Amino acid sequence: MGISTNPTERLSRPQPHFINGERVASGGLRDVLDPATGKPISQLHLGGQSEVDAAVAAARAALPAWAAVAPDERARLILRFAELMEANAENITELSILDGGLPRMIAQGSAPFASLFLRYYAGWTNKITGKTMPSSAMGKSPNDLLAYTLREPIGVVGAITPWNYPYGMEMLKIAPVLAAGCTLVLKPAEDAPIAGLLMAEIAQEAGFPDGVFNVVNGLGEEAGAALTAHDDVDKIAFTGSTEVGRIIVKAAAGNLKKVSLELGGKSPVFVFPDADLASAVPGVAMAGFLLSGQNCVCGSRLFVHEKIADDLAAGIAEFAGSMQIGPGSDPANMIGPLITERQCERVEGMIARAEKEGARRVSGGNRVDRDGWFIEPTLFTDCEPDMQIVREEVFGPVISMQTFSDDEDFESLAARGNDTTYGLSGSVWTRDLETAMRMTRLIDAGQVGVNCHAAMDPTMPFGGNKQSGWGREFGEAALDLYTKTKAVTLSWS
Ligand code: NAD
C-alpha cells in the first residue's frame, strides 16, 4: 500500500488538501488539537476560494468519465475501498481517538461503520433504476410510444461535515455519492480534520480515478462558504448546526444548487410506567451521554411517568456515576472530552443557567479537573418546558427530565415532546403494544425507536423533520439526493 495510515507519520506533517489525486499544501496553518489534552497533535492547511476552485474544476473534469463507468466496476472500486478501510482499522481507531476525542469503544467502530456503508452502497450501483410509464402523451396510445425515466448522477457534490464521529459523518455522504456516479469535494470540519484526507487517499489507493474524490480543508466561513456559493457545484450535502444550515441555504441560492441538510436535534425520550427499567436505565442514559452528548440524535429531553420518575432518576444518576471519564486511549473510559474549550465553556454555561432557572441537578454537572475538555454526565430533574436546558441543543452530556401522569393522553404527551423546533429522533420505552404504536405515530421526528434510541443502520433512512433538516440520508433514500430524474418520451409513429 502506497499511503501510510500510521498515526505518528500522518500527524507529523501539516494536513494538506487532496485535489485531483494530489496532496496540495497551500493556505495558512492552524493547529489541530487533541481534545483529551488540549495539545496540538498536527497542523491543518486552511484552504479558501482558490483551493475550492481547483477542487471543483477537478471534480467537474472527472465527472463524465466517472458517471460512465459501468456500475459493476464502480461497485468493485467501492468494495476495494471498504477492504482497505478494514485493513487499516487499527490505525483509524487510534486516529479517531486523537482527532475526534472518541472513547475507544466508539473509535473502534469507525472503520467497520465506514466499510459497512461502502459495502451497502456498492450493492446499489446496479440497482439505481428508472421506470416505464403507461403514457398517453400527445393523445397517443401507449403502444405508439415508450415513456420512461432515467436516473442520472446529480453532478459535482460539495459535502460539508461536522466534527463529531468524523469517519461516520463523512462516509454517510462519500459512499452514496460514489455509488450514484457523482464526483465529490469534501470540506471536513476544521476541529476534526484528519479523517477526510485519509479516506480520500485510501480511495485513491483503491483505484478511484483522479478528481472523483477531492478534499479541501479549511474554516467554515472560508472554504465551506466558497464551496457552498460555487456556481459549478450542483449540490451541497451538509451536516451540522441548524444555524449554519440556514447560512448554507442562502449561500446556495446563486445557482439554485440542490441542498440537503442534516441538522441539530432536541430529541424526546418517553419512559412509561410499564417499561423494563433494567434495560431502560442504561438505554436512556446512553441516549443522552453517548459521545458526551455530542451527537445530533442525543436523547436530551426525558419525559417519565411520575410513578417511576424517582427510580429512573436514581438509576440514571448511578449509571452516570459509574461512567469512567477520560481520554479514549484508555479502554475503560466511557466519557470522552468535548471537542473544544469553547464547546466546554458553552456547556458549563448551560448547566449553570439550568440551575439558576430552577432545575435540580441530581448527577454530574462539573468540569473535570484535568487537561482537555471533560464534563461529567449530568441529569437535571424538575425541568420546565421553557427552560433553556429543555429548549436548546446542548451538544454535551446533559439530560433534562420532566414527568407526566395518568391524566395525560397520548396526544397531549406527544405534543409536549413535539414542542420543539427540531424533529430528528425520539424513543418510547414501554412493554405495551398500544402505547408503542400510538406514540411512534404521534412523535414528529424522522426516526423513532421503541425500547431503543437512535438505532443506526445503513438500510434505514435517516434525517430530520422541521428545523432538523431537509431530505433523508442512509438507505435507498440517499440515492435520491445524488441522482436526478429525466423523463424520456420516445414516439415511433
Ligand atoms: P457547524 O454547523 O458549526 O459546522 C459544520 C460544518 O459546517 C463544519 O465543517 C464547518 O466548518 C462548516 N461551516 C461553518 N460555517 C460555515 C459557513 N458559513 N459556510 C459553509 N460551511 C460552514 O456544526 P458542528 O459544531 O461542527 O457540529 C455540531 C452540529 O451538527 C450540531 O448542531 C449537531 O446536531 C449537528 N449534527 C447533525 C447531524 C445529523 O445527521 N442531523 C449529525 C451530526 C451533527
Side-chain angles (χ1 to χ4, degrees), residues 402-435:
Q402 301 174 65
T403 56
F404 61 90
S405 69
D406 286 335
D407 296 341
E408 285 176 85
D409 57 16
F410 292 123
E411 281 75 14
S412 63
L413 183 55
R416 285 173 66 192
N418 294 338
D419 179 21
T420 164
T421 54
Y422 297 111
L424 191 57
S425 187
S427 56
V428 181
W429 299 74
T430 180
R431 283 185 272 209
D432 178 59
L433 187 60
E434 183 186 354
T435 304

PDB file of all heavy atoms in Angstrom, residues 402-435:
ATOM      1  N   GLN A 402     -38.537  15.696  32.688  1.00  0.00           N
ATOM      2  CA  GLN A 402     -39.858  16.188  33.094  1.00  0.00           C
ATOM      3  C   GLN A 402     -40.731  14.960  33.331  1.00  0.00           C
ATOM      4  O   GLN A 402     -40.413  13.881  32.839  1.00  0.00           O
ATOM      5  CB  GLN A 402     -40.475  17.040  31.979  1.00  0.00           C
ATOM      6  CG  GLN A 402     -39.643  18.251  31.595  1.00  0.00           C
ATOM      7  CD  GLN A 402     -40.227  18.974  30.389  1.00  0.00           C
ATOM      8  OE1 GLN A 402     -41.320  19.516  30.446  1.00  0.00           O
ATOM      9  NE2 GLN A 402     -39.499  18.996  29.281  1.00  0.00           N
ATOM     10  N   THR A 403     -41.813  15.142  34.068  1.00  0.00           N
ATOM     11  CA  THR A 403     -42.672  13.984  34.353  1.00  0.00           C
ATOM     12  C   THR A 403     -44.032  14.144  33.683  1.00  0.00           C
ATOM     13  O   THR A 403     -44.411  15.240  33.257  1.00  0.00           O
ATOM     14  CB  THR A 403     -42.893  13.817  35.872  1.00  0.00           C
ATOM     15  OG1 THR A 403     -43.433  15.033  36.384  1.00  0.00           O
ATOM     16  CG2 THR A 403     -41.597  13.493  36.582  1.00  0.00           C
ATOM     17  N   PHE A 404     -44.751  13.009  33.602  1.00  0.00           N
ATOM     18  CA  PHE A 404     -46.147  13.055  33.154  1.00  0.00           C
ATOM     19  C   PHE A 404     -46.958  12.126  34.047  1.00  0.00           C
ATOM     20  O   PHE A 404     -46.391  11.309  34.791  1.00  0.00           O
ATOM     21  CB  PHE A 404     -46.286  12.710  31.672  1.00  0.00           C
ATOM     22  CG  PHE A 404     -45.829  11.334  31.268  1.00  0.00           C
ATOM     23  CD1 PHE A 404     -46.708  10.247  31.279  1.00  0.00           C
ATOM     24  CD2 PHE A 404     -44.520  11.103  30.866  1.00  0.00           C
ATOM     25  CE1 PHE A 404     -46.303   8.977  30.885  1.00  0.00           C
ATOM     26  CE2 PHE A 404     -44.098   9.840  30.481  1.00  0.00           C
ATOM     27  CZ  PHE A 404     -44.986   8.775  30.486  1.00  0.00           C
ATOM     28  N   SER A 405     -48.265  12.268  33.948  1.00  0.00           N
ATOM     29  CA  SER A 405     -49.126  11.474  34.835  1.00  0.00           C
ATOM     30  C   SER A 405     -50.188  10.755  34.017  1.00  0.00           C
ATOM     31  O   SER A 405     -50.286  10.946  32.795  1.00  0.00           O
ATOM     32  CB  SER A 405     -49.808  12.400  35.846  1.00  0.00           C
ATOM     33  OG  SER A 405     -50.741  13.205  35.156  1.00  0.00           O
ATOM     34  N   ASP A 406     -51.007   9.967  34.710  1.00  0.00           N
ATOM     35  CA  ASP A 406     -52.083   9.236  34.027  1.00  0.00           C
ATOM     36  C   ASP A 406     -53.119  10.176  33.427  1.00  0.00           C
ATOM     37  O   ASP A 406     -53.918   9.770  32.584  1.00  0.00           O
ATOM     38  CB  ASP A 406     -52.784   8.300  35.025  1.00  0.00           C
ATOM     39  CG  ASP A 406     -51.911   7.100  35.347  1.00  0.00           C
ATOM     40  OD1 ASP A 406     -51.064   6.752  34.500  1.00  0.00           O
ATOM     41  OD2 ASP A 406     -52.061   6.537  36.448  1.00  0.00           O
ATOM     42  N   ASP A 407     -53.139  11.432  33.881  1.00  0.00           N
ATOM     43  CA  ASP A 407     -54.133  12.381  33.364  1.00  0.00           C
ATOM     44  C   ASP A 407     -53.891  12.739  31.897  1.00  0.00           C
ATOM     45  O   ASP A 407     -54.776  13.257  31.224  1.00  0.00           O
ATOM     46  CB  ASP A 407     -54.103  13.692  34.164  1.00  0.00           C
ATOM     47  CG  ASP A 407     -54.512  13.455  35.601  1.00  0.00           C
ATOM     48  OD1 ASP A 407     -55.135  12.399  35.846  1.00  0.00           O
ATOM     49  OD2 ASP A 407     -54.177  14.294  36.460  1.00  0.00           O
ATOM     50  N   GLU A 408     -52.685  12.490  31.422  1.00  0.00           N
ATOM     51  CA  GLU A 408     -52.370  12.921  30.039  1.00  0.00           C
ATOM     52  C   GLU A 408     -52.618  11.785  29.058  1.00  0.00           C
ATOM     53  O   GLU A 408     -52.194  10.656  29.295  1.00  0.00           O
ATOM     54  CB  GLU A 408     -50.908  13.346  29.949  1.00  0.00           C
ATOM     55  CG  GLU A 408     -50.677  14.692  30.586  1.00  0.00           C
ATOM     56  CD  GLU A 408     -49.203  15.062  30.592  1.00  0.00           C
ATOM     57  OE1 GLU A 408     -48.723  15.605  29.591  1.00  0.00           O
ATOM     58  OE2 GLU A 408     -48.549  14.794  31.613  1.00  0.00           O
ATOM     59  N   ASP A 409     -53.278  12.117  27.927  1.00  0.00           N
ATOM     60  CA  ASP A 409     -53.446  11.090  26.903  1.00  0.00           C
ATOM     61  C   ASP A 409     -52.226  11.116  25.970  1.00  0.00           C
ATOM     62  O   ASP A 409     -51.351  11.976  26.096  1.00  0.00           O
ATOM     63  CB  ASP A 409     -54.762  11.276  26.137  1.00  0.00           C
ATOM     64  CG  ASP A 409     -54.868  12.631  25.490  1.00  0.00           C
ATOM     65  OD1 ASP A 409     -53.820  13.314  25.370  1.00  0.00           O
ATOM     66  OD2 ASP A 409     -55.977  13.036  25.109  1.00  0.00           O
ATOM     67  N   PHE A 410     -52.198  10.150  25.052  1.00  0.00           N
ATOM     68  CA  PHE A 410     -51.037  10.049  24.162  1.00  0.00           C
ATOM     69  C   PHE A 410     -50.819  11.345  23.374  1.00  0.00           C
ATOM     70  O   PHE A 410     -49.692  11.791  23.181  1.00  0.00           O
ATOM     71  CB  PHE A 410     -51.206   8.878  23.194  1.00  0.00           C
ATOM     72  CG  PHE A 410     -51.167   7.530  23.861  1.00  0.00           C
ATOM     73  CD1 PHE A 410     -52.220   6.646  23.729  1.00  0.00           C
ATOM     74  CD2 PHE A 410     -50.073   7.155  24.625  1.00  0.00           C
ATOM     75  CE1 PHE A 410     -52.182   5.399  24.345  1.00  0.00           C
ATOM     76  CE2 PHE A 410     -50.013   5.903  25.247  1.00  0.00           C
ATOM     77  CZ  PHE A 410     -51.086   5.023  25.097  1.00  0.00           C
ATOM     78  N   GLU A 411     -51.948  11.925  22.916  1.00  0.00           N
ATOM     79  CA  GLU A 411     -51.835  13.129  22.075  1.00  0.00           C
ATOM     80  C   GLU A 411     -51.171  14.277  22.844  1.00  0.00           C
ATOM     81  O   GLU A 411     -50.274  14.940  22.326  1.00  0.00           O
ATOM     82  CB  GLU A 411     -53.216  13.594  21.574  1.00  0.00           C
ATOM     83  CG  GLU A 411     -53.761  12.800  20.399  1.00  0.00           C
ATOM     84  CD  GLU A 411     -54.283  11.419  20.809  1.00  0.00           C
ATOM     85  OE1 GLU A 411     -54.475  11.172  22.028  1.00  0.00           O
ATOM     86  OE2 GLU A 411     -54.490  10.584  19.907  1.00  0.00           O
ATOM     87  N   SER A 412     -51.628  14.507  24.070  1.00  0.00           N
ATOM     88  CA  SER A 412     -51.067  15.666  24.781  1.00  0.00           C
ATOM     89  C   SER A 412     -49.624  15.399  25.202  1.00  0.00           C
ATOM     90  O   SER A 412     -48.787  16.294  25.202  1.00  0.00           O
ATOM     91  CB  SER A 412     -51.939  16.057  25.975  1.00  0.00           C
ATOM     92  OG  SER A 412     -51.962  15.016  26.901  1.00  0.00           O
ATOM     93  N   LEU A 413     -49.324  14.141  25.504  1.00  0.00           N
ATOM     94  CA  LEU A 413     -47.946  13.823  25.862  1.00  0.00           C
ATOM     95  C   LEU A 413     -47.016  13.996  24.648  1.00  0.00           C
ATOM     96  O   LEU A 413     -45.943  14.610  24.743  1.00  0.00           O
ATOM     97  CB  LEU A 413     -47.883  12.377  26.378  1.00  0.00           C
ATOM     98  CG  LEU A 413     -46.524  11.902  26.854  1.00  0.00           C
ATOM     99  CD1 LEU A 413     -45.942  12.824  27.914  1.00  0.00           C
ATOM    100  CD2 LEU A 413     -46.640  10.477  27.403  1.00  0.00           C
ATOM    101  N   ALA A 414     -47.462  13.477  23.510  1.00  0.00           N
ATOM    102  CA  ALA A 414     -46.647  13.636  22.302  1.00  0.00           C
ATOM    103  C   ALA A 414     -46.493  15.108  21.949  1.00  0.00           C
ATOM    104  O   ALA A 414     -45.416  15.546  21.511  1.00  0.00           O
ATOM    105  CB  ALA A 414     -47.274  12.869  21.135  1.00  0.00           C
ATOM    106  N   ALA A 415     -47.559  15.882  22.175  1.00  0.00           N
ATOM    107  CA  ALA A 415     -47.480  17.319  21.869  1.00  0.00           C
ATOM    108  C   ALA A 415     -46.403  17.986  22.723  1.00  0.00           C
ATOM    109  O   ALA A 415     -45.680  18.870  22.242  1.00  0.00           O
ATOM    110  CB  ALA A 415     -48.837  17.978  22.103  1.00  0.00           C
ATOM    111  N   ARG A 416     -46.270  17.540  23.957  1.00  0.00           N
ATOM    112  CA  ARG A 416     -45.180  18.093  24.801  1.00  0.00           C
ATOM    113  C   ARG A 416     -43.818  17.719  24.200  1.00  0.00           C
ATOM    114  O   ARG A 416     -42.895  18.532  24.157  1.00  0.00           O
ATOM    115  CB  ARG A 416     -45.283  17.561  26.238  1.00  0.00           C
ATOM    116  CG  ARG A 416     -46.406  18.215  27.028  1.00  0.00           C
ATOM    117  CD  ARG A 416     -46.570  17.542  28.391  1.00  0.00           C
ATOM    118  NE  ARG A 416     -45.421  17.735  29.261  1.00  0.00           N
ATOM    119  CZ  ARG A 416     -45.212  17.071  30.406  1.00  0.00           C
ATOM    120  NH1 ARG A 416     -46.088  16.171  30.823  1.00  0.00           N
ATOM    121  NH2 ARG A 416     -44.159  17.311  31.138  1.00  0.00           N
ATOM    122  N   GLY A 417     -43.715  16.492  23.752  1.00  0.00           N
ATOM    123  CA  GLY A 417     -42.453  16.072  23.129  1.00  0.00           C
ATOM    124  C   GLY A 417     -42.183  16.828  21.837  1.00  0.00           C
ATOM    125  O   GLY A 417     -41.030  17.132  21.494  1.00  0.00           O
ATOM    126  N   ASN A 418     -43.250  17.125  21.103  1.00  0.00           N
ATOM    127  CA  ASN A 418     -43.087  17.800  19.803  1.00  0.00           C
ATOM    128  C   ASN A 418     -42.956  19.315  19.944  1.00  0.00           C
ATOM    129  O   ASN A 418     -42.807  20.014  18.937  1.00  0.00           O
ATOM    130  CB  ASN A 418     -44.289  17.481  18.898  1.00  0.00           C
ATOM    131  CG  ASN A 418     -44.332  16.016  18.518  1.00  0.00           C
ATOM    132  OD1 ASN A 418     -43.313  15.327  18.554  1.00  0.00           O
ATOM    133  ND2 ASN A 418     -45.517  15.533  18.147  1.00  0.00           N
ATOM    134  N   ASP A 419     -43.018  19.808  21.173  1.00  0.00           N
ATOM    135  CA  ASP A 419     -42.927  21.258  21.387  1.00  0.00           C
ATOM    136  C   ASP A 419     -41.457  21.696  21.293  1.00  0.00           C
ATOM    137  O   ASP A 419     -40.815  22.042  22.283  1.00  0.00           O
ATOM    138  CB  ASP A 419     -43.527  21.595  22.764  1.00  0.00           C
ATOM    139  CG  ASP A 419     -43.436  23.086  23.054  1.00  0.00           C
ATOM    140  OD1 ASP A 419     -43.297  23.872  22.097  1.00  0.00           O
ATOM    141  OD2 ASP A 419     -43.472  23.456  24.250  1.00  0.00           O
ATOM    142  N   THR A 420     -40.930  21.638  20.105  1.00  0.00           N
ATOM    143  CA  THR A 420     -39.536  21.987  19.827  1.00  0.00           C
ATOM    144  C   THR A 420     -39.445  22.336  18.345  1.00  0.00           C
ATOM    145  O   THR A 420     -40.263  21.868  17.550  1.00  0.00           O
ATOM    146  CB  THR A 420     -38.593  20.806  20.152  1.00  0.00           C
ATOM    147  OG1 THR A 420     -37.325  21.021  19.528  1.00  0.00           O
ATOM    148  CG2 THR A 420     -39.124  19.469  19.655  1.00  0.00           C
ATOM    149  N   THR A 421     -38.440  23.127  18.012  1.00  0.00           N
ATOM    150  CA  THR A 421     -38.271  23.452  16.593  1.00  0.00           C
ATOM    151  C   THR A 421     -37.617  22.297  15.840  1.00  0.00           C
ATOM    152  O   THR A 421     -37.546  22.309  14.617  1.00  0.00           O
ATOM    153  CB  THR A 421     -37.390  24.708  16.425  1.00  0.00           C
ATOM    154  OG1 THR A 421     -36.166  24.490  17.136  1.00  0.00           O
ATOM    155  CG2 THR A 421     -38.085  25.947  16.960  1.00  0.00           C
ATOM    156  N   TYR A 422     -37.113  21.309  16.587  1.00  0.00           N
ATOM    157  CA  TYR A 422     -36.422  20.182  15.955  1.00  0.00           C
ATOM    158  C   TYR A 422     -37.348  18.994  15.739  1.00  0.00           C
ATOM    159  O   TYR A 422     -38.442  18.956  16.299  1.00  0.00           O
ATOM    160  CB  TYR A 422     -35.251  19.736  16.843  1.00  0.00           C
ATOM    161  CG  TYR A 422     -34.179  20.785  17.024  1.00  0.00           C
ATOM    162  CD1 TYR A 422     -33.985  21.410  18.257  1.00  0.00           C
ATOM    163  CD2 TYR A 422     -33.354  21.145  15.969  1.00  0.00           C
ATOM    164  CE1 TYR A 422     -32.988  22.357  18.434  1.00  0.00           C
ATOM    165  CE2 TYR A 422     -32.350  22.090  16.132  1.00  0.00           C
ATOM    166  CZ  TYR A 422     -32.172  22.696  17.370  1.00  0.00           C
ATOM    167  OH  TYR A 422     -31.185  23.629  17.539  1.00  0.00           O
ATOM    168  N   GLY A 423     -36.873  18.007  14.978  1.00  0.00           N
ATOM    169  CA  GLY A 423     -37.657  16.783  14.759  1.00  0.00           C
ATOM    170  C   GLY A 423     -36.777  15.682  14.196  1.00  0.00           C
ATOM    171  O   GLY A 423     -37.062  15.131  13.135  1.00  0.00           O
ATOM    172  N   LEU A 424     -35.700  15.363  14.918  1.00  0.00           N
ATOM    173  CA  LEU A 424     -34.742  14.410  14.348  1.00  0.00           C
ATOM    174  C   LEU A 424     -34.988  12.968  14.808  1.00  0.00           C
ATOM    175  O   LEU A 424     -35.079  12.061  13.989  1.00  0.00           O
ATOM    176  CB  LEU A 424     -33.319  14.846  14.712  1.00  0.00           C
ATOM    177  CG  LEU A 424     -32.180  14.123  13.986  1.00  0.00           C
ATOM    178  CD1 LEU A 424     -32.333  14.263  12.477  1.00  0.00           C
ATOM    179  CD2 LEU A 424     -30.829  14.654  14.426  1.00  0.00           C
ATOM    180  N   SER A 425     -35.062  12.774  16.133  1.00  0.00           N
ATOM    181  CA  SER A 425     -35.161  11.407  16.647  1.00  0.00           C
ATOM    182  C   SER A 425     -36.078  11.401  17.868  1.00  0.00           C
ATOM    183  O   SER A 425     -36.532  12.462  18.320  1.00  0.00           O
ATOM    184  CB  SER A 425     -33.755  10.915  17.019  1.00  0.00           C
ATOM    185  OG  SER A 425     -33.777   9.550  17.366  1.00  0.00           O
ATOM    186  N   GLY A 426     -36.340  10.219  18.388  1.00  0.00           N
ATOM    187  CA  GLY A 426     -37.152  10.100  19.596  1.00  0.00           C
ATOM    188  C   GLY A 426     -37.260   8.641  19.971  1.00  0.00           C
ATOM    189  O   GLY A 426     -36.966   7.765  19.145  1.00  0.00           O
ATOM    190  N   SER A 427     -37.643   8.379  21.220  1.00  0.00           N
ATOM    191  CA  SER A 427     -37.833   6.976  21.587  1.00  0.00           C
ATOM    192  C   SER A 427     -38.903   6.832  22.659  1.00  0.00           C
ATOM    193  O   SER A 427     -39.225   7.784  23.375  1.00  0.00           O
ATOM    194  CB  SER A 427     -36.515   6.335  22.040  1.00  0.00           C
ATOM    195  OG  SER A 427     -35.935   7.040  23.105  1.00  0.00           O
ATOM    196  N   VAL A 428     -39.438   5.608  22.699  1.00  0.00           N
ATOM    197  CA  VAL A 428     -40.528   5.258  23.600  1.00  0.00           C
ATOM    198  C   VAL A 428     -40.120   3.980  24.313  1.00  0.00           C
ATOM    199  O   VAL A 428     -39.696   3.020  23.667  1.00  0.00           O
ATOM    200  CB  VAL A 428     -41.816   4.978  22.779  1.00  0.00           C
ATOM    201  CG1 VAL A 428     -42.976   4.642  23.696  1.00  0.00           C
ATOM    202  CG2 VAL A 428     -42.161   6.150  21.883  1.00  0.00           C
ATOM    203  N   TRP A 429     -40.206   3.984  25.629  1.00  0.00           N
ATOM    204  CA  TRP A 429     -39.800   2.809  26.401  1.00  0.00           C
ATOM    205  C   TRP A 429     -41.040   2.256  27.091  1.00  0.00           C
ATOM    206  O   TRP A 429     -41.603   2.882  27.991  1.00  0.00           O
ATOM    207  CB  TRP A 429     -38.700   3.189  27.390  1.00  0.00           C
ATOM    208  CG  TRP A 429     -37.488   3.713  26.656  1.00  0.00           C
ATOM    209  CD1 TRP A 429     -37.354   4.931  26.059  1.00  0.00           C
ATOM    210  CD2 TRP A 429     -36.266   3.010  26.384  1.00  0.00           C
ATOM    211  NE1 TRP A 429     -36.129   5.035  25.425  1.00  0.00           N
ATOM    212  CE2 TRP A 429     -35.433   3.868  25.627  1.00  0.00           C
ATOM    213  CE3 TRP A 429     -35.773   1.738  26.717  1.00  0.00           C
ATOM    214  CZ2 TRP A 429     -34.154   3.500  25.190  1.00  0.00           C
ATOM    215  CZ3 TRP A 429     -34.502   1.373  26.293  1.00  0.00           C
ATOM    216  CH2 TRP A 429     -33.709   2.241  25.539  1.00  0.00           C
ATOM    217  N   THR A 430     -41.504   1.110  26.633  1.00  0.00           N
ATOM    218  CA  THR A 430     -42.742   0.503  27.124  1.00  0.00           C
ATOM    219  C   THR A 430     -42.775  -0.953  26.728  1.00  0.00           C
ATOM    220  O   THR A 430     -42.094  -1.363  25.791  1.00  0.00           O
ATOM    221  CB  THR A 430     -43.965   1.218  26.506  1.00  0.00           C
ATOM    222  OG1 THR A 430     -45.157   0.616  26.997  1.00  0.00           O
ATOM    223  CG2 THR A 430     -43.990   1.135  24.986  1.00  0.00           C
ATOM    224  N   ARG A 431     -43.628  -1.751  27.452  1.00  0.00           N
ATOM    225  CA  ARG A 431     -43.855  -3.128  27.015  1.00  0.00           C
ATOM    226  C   ARG A 431     -45.248  -3.274  26.423  1.00  0.00           C
ATOM    227  O   ARG A 431     -45.665  -4.370  26.080  1.00  0.00           O
ATOM    228  CB  ARG A 431     -43.664  -4.082  28.196  1.00  0.00           C
ATOM    229  CG  ARG A 431     -42.190  -4.294  28.486  1.00  0.00           C
ATOM    230  CD  ARG A 431     -41.986  -5.323  29.572  1.00  0.00           C
ATOM    231  NE  ARG A 431     -42.015  -4.692  30.869  1.00  0.00           N
ATOM    232  CZ  ARG A 431     -41.357  -5.145  31.933  1.00  0.00           C
ATOM    233  NH1 ARG A 431     -40.623  -6.225  31.839  1.00  0.00           N
ATOM    234  NH2 ARG A 431     -41.436  -4.530  33.087  1.00  0.00           N
ATOM    235  N   ASP A 432     -45.954  -2.143  26.319  1.00  0.00           N
ATOM    236  CA  ASP A 432     -47.344  -2.192  25.862  1.00  0.00           C
ATOM    237  C   ASP A 432     -47.417  -1.833  24.374  1.00  0.00           C
ATOM    238  O   ASP A 432     -46.933  -0.780  23.945  1.00  0.00           O
ATOM    239  CB  ASP A 432     -48.165  -1.189  26.683  1.00  0.00           C
ATOM    240  CG  ASP A 432     -49.599  -1.154  26.243  1.00  0.00           C
ATOM    241  OD1 ASP A 432     -50.256  -2.212  26.307  1.00  0.00           O
ATOM    242  OD2 ASP A 432     -50.054  -0.087  25.790  1.00  0.00           O
ATOM    243  N   LEU A 433     -48.053  -2.719  23.616  1.00  0.00           N
ATOM    244  CA  LEU A 433     -48.096  -2.544  22.154  1.00  0.00           C
ATOM    245  C   LEU A 433     -48.850  -1.278  21.748  1.00  0.00           C
ATOM    246  O   LEU A 433     -48.407  -0.518  20.886  1.00  0.00           O
ATOM    247  CB  LEU A 433     -48.749  -3.781  21.529  1.00  0.00           C
ATOM    248  CG  LEU A 433     -48.722  -3.857  20.008  1.00  0.00           C
ATOM    249  CD1 LEU A 433     -47.296  -3.864  19.497  1.00  0.00           C
ATOM    250  CD2 LEU A 433     -49.448  -5.107  19.535  1.00  0.00           C
ATOM    251  N   GLU A 434     -49.988  -1.024  22.402  1.00  0.00           N
ATOM    252  CA  GLU A 434     -50.773   0.154  22.017  1.00  0.00           C
ATOM    253  C   GLU A 434     -49.972   1.437  22.283  1.00  0.00           C
ATOM    254  O   GLU A 434     -49.932   2.351  21.453  1.00  0.00           O
ATOM    255  CB  GLU A 434     -52.102   0.206  22.779  1.00  0.00           C
ATOM    256  CG  GLU A 434     -52.925   1.407  22.312  1.00  0.00           C
ATOM    257  CD  GLU A 434     -54.203   1.640  23.113  1.00  0.00           C
ATOM    258  OE1 GLU A 434     -54.532   0.812  23.982  1.00  0.00           O
ATOM    259  OE2 GLU A 434     -54.857   2.671  22.847  1.00  0.00           O
ATOM    260  N   THR A 435     -49.324   1.503  23.444  1.00  0.00           N
ATOM    261  CA  THR A 435     -48.517   2.688  23.764  1.00  0.00           C
ATOM    262  C   THR A 435     -47.455   2.895  22.678  1.00  0.00           C
ATOM    263  O   THR A 435     -47.256   4.004  22.173  1.00  0.00           O
ATOM    264  CB  THR A 435     -47.829   2.501  25.136  1.00  0.00           C
ATOM    265  OG1 THR A 435     -48.834   2.243  26.106  1.00  0.00           O
ATOM    266  CG2 THR A 435     -47.031   3.723  25.523  1.00  0.00           C
TER     267      THR A 435
END
